[in-house]
Amino acid sequence: MKATTAICLLGAASFSPQAPSQNPTQPPAHGIVSWGDYVLDSRWSHAGGFVKVCPSHWGAAALRADGNIVCWGNNQGGSRTVTPPPPGMTYVDLIARGNQILALRSDGEVVDQHGQRWNRLPPIPPGVRIVALGGIASFGMVGVLRSDGRIGVSASSTFPYIPSQLANVPPLPPGTQWTAVQMGTGQAVGLRSDGWVETWSQAHQTAYPPP
């Protein structure tokens, strides 16, 4: 039976870290609640300070304001165990899908849950860094946002020799940059600095103006 998990992130996405509540009846700020096959309420451990949560097939992973990642769900094969970042570094973003978790470190490196460098992304010019992760699409393709306002799309982790239209990021109009990207199942969505949203997939490409 396919696992189903619903995730709810409570609180704003940008905030100053707060100490966990010491009162069992008072929920901490920015907690997490999940329901479905995997049930969790961060109030059980008085944990707070979450800034991002990513559900996946067998559980979920969450990024804390202190730069660490916590996970819950099925830990078969260690898929829910994340190696802490090296001393002096933190995790600044994460994405999850299936049994895969990828994290962006403060030094700009993308690593898997075991701390190993993830090297399926296209080459990045000198002086350019990855600043955000944009989800995992079909066949393990990953989108990232770069510091030069460009989008990078990785090769498939399952079928690396199969070309995909998802890697064909639409060209930008002069004077614009990408400000966000999100990969889905067979589709990608990008937000431009002029407020337009563009989608591209295996079949078509569409641009939507700002409201």
Side-chain angles (χ1 to χ4, degrees):
M1 179 180 295
K2 183 178 179 180
T4 302
T5 302
I7 307 295
C8 180
L9 175 62
L10 307 179
S14 177
F15 60 95
S16 299
Q18 301 184 28
S21 170
Q22 300 303 314
N23 184 350
T25 64
Q26 179 183 355
H30 315 286
I32 292 175
V33 176
S34 71
W35 58 95
D37 288 354
Y38 299 101
V39 178
L40 174 126
D41 190 328
S42 57
R43 291 175 294 184
W44 295 340
S45 61
H46 311 299
F50 296 104
V51 296
K52 184 175 183 179
V53 61
C54 291
S56 63
H57 190 69
W58 294 114
L63 178 65
R64 298 182 59 113
D66 62 5
N68 288 300
I69 293 174
V70 294
C71 304
W72 64 95
N74 188 332
N75 196 38
Q76 184 176 3
S79 61
R80 297 286 155 234
T81 303
V82 176
T83 301
M89 297 184 190
T90 60
Y91 291 126
V92 297
D93 202 0
L94 82 131
I95 51 178
R97 182 185 174 106
N99 288 327
Q100 185 177 29
I101 297 173
L102 296 179
L104 176 62
R105 290 193 322 217
S106 53
D107 64 349
E109 288 284 354
V110 178
V111 296
D112 62 18
Q113 61 258 46
H114 308 298
Q116 301 299 311
R117 184 174 180 271
W118 201 76
N119 57 4
R120 294 191 179 278
L121 291 167
I124 297 177
V128 176
R129 292 165 55 97
I130 296 172
V131 296
L133 304 178
I136 306 176
S138 302
F139 306 122
M141 299 183 69
V142 174
V144 299
L145 182 66
R146 304 185 337 191
S147 59
D148 59 357
R150 302 284 176 175
I151 291 173
V153 179
S154 76
S156 167
S157 58
T158 10
F159 303 103
Y161 302 107
I162 297 179
S164 172
Q165 295 298 321
L166 291 180
N168 296 331
V169 181
L172 285 165
T176 63
Q177 294 184 330
W178 296 110
T179 60
V181 60
Q182 186 64 46
M183 309 289 284
T185 302
Q187 185 179 28
V189 180
L191 176 63
R192 297 189 329 213
S193 56
D194 59 0
W196 281 66
V197 172
E198 293 208 39
T199 69
W200 62 100
S201 67
Q202 303 284 22
H204 59 82
Q205 174 184 330
T206 308
Y208 298 96

